[in-house]
Amino acid sequence: MKKEERDRVLSEVGENLARNRECAGYTVEELACLLRISERTLRAYEYGEHQMSVETAVQISEVCGTTVTKLIGIRGSDADEFSDTKLLKYKYIRKMMDMTQTEFAEEIGASRSSIYNYESGHISMPIKVFIKLCKICELSDNAINSLAWNMTKSSG
């Protein structure tokens, strides 16, 4: 992903975050307090200056009473290829696509070690990588929201 595209993605995510925060009736100060993050960090997310993790996106969507897809402004595909979304995890998606960690990493623009860490739950996937994964895998809205939620509750 080129720098201009990354900047555009973060800017769009930030605008959606601000819009959802306002619709939920929170000020920056109130939402930052509820999330236990600094106001500066929340503003950086909203201005597209800093990238939140998928875990943070899930927390914000829960507090604001919305979905991850609405919060980050992506629309999933119409196909709902995953019948049991409780099993939906990064490793499961990669295996369904019949890819190795190296192939999957190359496809979504991450390192193989990052894929390993995302799958094992050692680190949270950055929102830009998450968005790219969802688009490449053509996940439905339901699958996207389930994947994000599942990844905050357990590992790979």
Side-chain angles (χ1 to χ4, degrees), residues 21 26-43 45-46 59-60 63-64:
R21 174 185 52 76
Y26 293 114
T27 64
V28 170
E29 296 80 13
E30 291 168 334
L31 185 57
C33 182
L34 288 170
L35 297 170
R36 294 187 174 127
I37 61 174
S38 71
E39 292 173 30
R40 183 177 179 182
T41 298
L42 184 56
R43 282 192 176 93
Y45 294 155
E46 289 189 359
Q59 287 178 314
I60 293 170
V63 170
C64 291

Side-chain angles (χ1 to χ4, degrees), residues 74 129-139 144 147:
I74 61 173
V129 176
F130 181 76
I131 291 170
K132 190 167 185 179
L133 174 139
C134 294
K135 289 180 179 180
I136 288 170
C137 297
E138 298 179 357
L139 299 178
I144 293 168
L147 176 62

Side-chain angles (χ1 to χ4, degrees), residues 60-113:
I60 293 170
S61 66
E62 287 175 344
V63 170
C64 291
T66 190
T67 63
V68 172
T69 52
K70 289 179 183 173
L71 179 72
I72 61 177
I74 61 173
R75 173 83 173 101
S77 73
D78 292 331
D80 205 355
E81 64 283 16
F82 298 100
S83 57
D84 190 355
T85 56
K86 291 177 187 160
L87 298 174
L88 200 53
K89 303 195 175 161
Y90 301 130
K91 187 174 185 176
Y92 178 71
I93 291 171
R94 177 178 59 78
K95 289 188 178 261
M96 290 295 290
M97 293 183 69
D98 196 29
M99 292 182 161
T100 65
Q101 285 182 337
T102 302
E103 292 167 335
F104 197 59
E106 189 175 296
E107 187 71 24
I108 67 170
S111 69
R112 196 207 64 74
S113 63

